[in-house]
Amino acid sequence: MLANLGSKRILVTGGAGFLGSHLCEALLRSGHHVICLDNLSTGLRRNIEHLTDTEHFSFIKHDIVTPIALEVDQIFNLACPASPPHYQADPIHTTKTSVLGSLNLLELARRRNARFLQASTSEVYGDPNVHPQVEGYWGNVNPFGPRACYDEGKRCAETLCFDYHQRHGVEVKIARIFNTYGPRMRPDDGRVVSNFIVQALKGDDITIYGDGSQTRSFCFVDDLIDGFLCLMASPASFTGPVNLGNPCEFAIGELAEQVIELTGSRSRIVNHPLPTDDPRQRCPNISLAMRELGWQPRVTLFEGLGRTIRHFDGLLANAASKLVEVA
């Protein structure tokens, strides 16, 4: 059930991305005016094309590293590349997006007296020594590794949120997102679910980094968006951070086998070396979200994978038909 936020002018940064486009849809369904802002570095226009003729939807191409002045009541800050290949492509800009971008938006929230939700990440826990991860755990992050631009950038963004809350009274909400999947993921984003599905549908080898025993929890996008809305609508006294994710834990090897079964693929599983600083375990403790927000995920991995596979199957079929037309 979607939370009722009341009719507002709401800014969604990163709104043309995987999560952002689903959030824009949900907010529009609830009767809000939505301003979608994205620099389209990883977001895609096709994700929001069906919204462009909607009366209460507008799109602005803009990078949040540069300040912007808008009249808004609420801000959902989802702007930042979220997959390792994308955020590592320009690590300096990734850090600037999390730090300078969040600073600019918090200033906007301060000036407009707007409520601010920061999309943080389970990556703030690094390669955790506590399992499952609870919000009070400070993490085990390598500040010099290839993932640091994202991990440390998001940690700093959380710090800025609390500083603006304590010093300026800005109403802030911090959501720590765990692995999320679903339709509109990019086929080239390098995340495990999209990688496995695309490889299986093409009949390519399924690439597992490490021996496949490392674990993740997978939250379907609809559940996460519901969590965002519940968090934004929660009392001002509840700032978070709060874990939003699915507490059901799966080994990566188990995920690969399930994708092969659901796609009917003949793909083989092949193993490659584990990337630097890749977490061994990732699973949220969601007791806080259940208690304070009344939220928990409802979509099973089996159901969510089926819906995601259908999305990628259609995407690949459309790409193939365009190649035939060109030929």
Side-chain angles (χ1 to χ4, degrees):
M1 180 182 297
L2 296 180
N4 182 7
L5 305 181
S7 182
K8 301 182 184 300
R9 287 178 57 85
I10 301 178
L11 172 64
V12 179
T13 68
F18 161 48
L19 298 180
S21 59
H22 284 279
L23 177 59
C24 287
E25 284 180 335
L27 292 169
L28 287 168
R29 286 196 299 269
S30 295
H32 303 294
H33 179 94
V34 176
I35 304 169
C36 169
L37 187 149
D38 203 301
N39 69 354
L40 300 178
S41 60
T42 57
L44 300 170
R45 285 189 184 273
R46 70 170 182 243
N47 288 341
I48 55 170
E49 279 178 345
H50 63 296
L51 302 177
T52 53
D53 291 332
T54 304
E55 181 181 1
H56 298 299
F57 177 83
S58 56
F59 171 72
I60 301 173
K61 185 178 180 182
H62 182 81
D63 191 322
I64 63 168
V65 169
T66 301
I68 190 169
L70 296 166
E71 292 290 340
V72 293
D73 302 303
Q74 295 180 346
I75 300 169
F76 288 83
N77 182 24
L78 279 62
C80 189
S83 69
H86 291 159
Y87 67 63
Q88 291 171 6
D90 189 347
I92 294 173
H93 194 267
T94 296
T95 302
K96 289 169 70 175
T97 300
S98 288
V99 180
L100 295 180
S102 296
L103 180 64
N104 290 333
L105 293 173
L106 283 162
E107 267 297 303
L108 176 63
R110 182 184 68 82
R111 292 195 304 270
R112 298 291 183 257
N113 196 29
R115 181 171 284 196
F116 182 89
L117 186 147
Q118 170 66 24
S120 190
T121 172
S122 61
E123 297 292 339
V124 301
Y125 298 121
D127 188 5
N129 296 318
V130 171
H131 188 77
Q133 290 79 64
V134 293
E135 290 86 352
Y137 175 54
W138 291 356
N140 178 36
V141 174
N142 177 1
F144 310 113
R147 304 170 77 100
C149 59
Y150 185 69
D151 301 2
E152 296 287 31
K154 290 290 191 177
R155 286 162 69 95
C156 186
E158 288 193 13
T159 301
L160 285 168
C161 286
F162 281 111
D163 288 343
Y164 266 77
H165 174 65
Q166 292 162 3
R167 188 173 182 84
H168 300 298
V170 175
E171 293 185 6
V172 299
K173 309 285 181 179
I174 298 173
R176 289 180 176 165
I177 304 168
F178 283 69
N179 293 63
T180 305
Y181 70 100
R184 298 194 198 131
M185 295 182 79
R186 288 179 58 136
D188 63 345
D189 72 1
R191 288 187 251 198
V192 64
V193 172
S194 52
N195 279 357
F196 286 1
I197 291 175
V198 171
Q199 289 169 342
L201 289 173
K202 288 182 174 181
D204 297 338
D205 290 341
I206 289 185
T207 305
I208 290 182
Y209 295 95
D211 62 7
S213 63
Q214 67 271 34
T215 66
R216 297 292 185 271
S217 63
F218 301 100
C219 184
F220 192 66
V221 60
D222 290 0
D223 284 331
L224 182 75
I225 297 306
D226 192 19
F228 279 167
L229 299 181
C230 290
L231 178 57
M232 183 62 97
S234 65
S237 59
F238 183 69
T239 61
V242 59
N243 291 334
L244 295 180
N246 194 317
C248 297
E249 190 176 5
F250 292 88
I252 295 299
E254 186 180 356
L255 174 69
E257 291 170 358
Q258 191 159 356
V259 168
I260 289 173
E261 179 182 348
L262 287 170
T263 57
S265 176
R266 295 185 177 181
S267 295
R268 299 180 306 119
I269 294 176
V270 297
N271 297 86
H272 288 241
L274 197 65
T276 302
D277 296 332
D278 193 63
R280 295 159 296 169
Q281 294 179 301
R282 184 59 59 72
C283 181
N285 181 315
I286 62 167
S287 299
L288 183 63
M290 293 172 66
R291 183 175 70 251
E292 297 293 335
L293 306 178
W295 176 89
Q296 62 182 332
R298 295 178 173 82
V299 180
T300 65
L301 183 63
F302 181 86
E303 178 189 348
L305 283 177
R307 292 166 66 178
T308 309
I309 287 167
R310 288 192 290 274
H311 162 74
F312 278 112
D313 197 24
L315 203 63
L316 294 175
N318 186 52
S321 66
K322 288 183 178 179
L323 286 175
V324 171
E325 290 175 4
V326 171

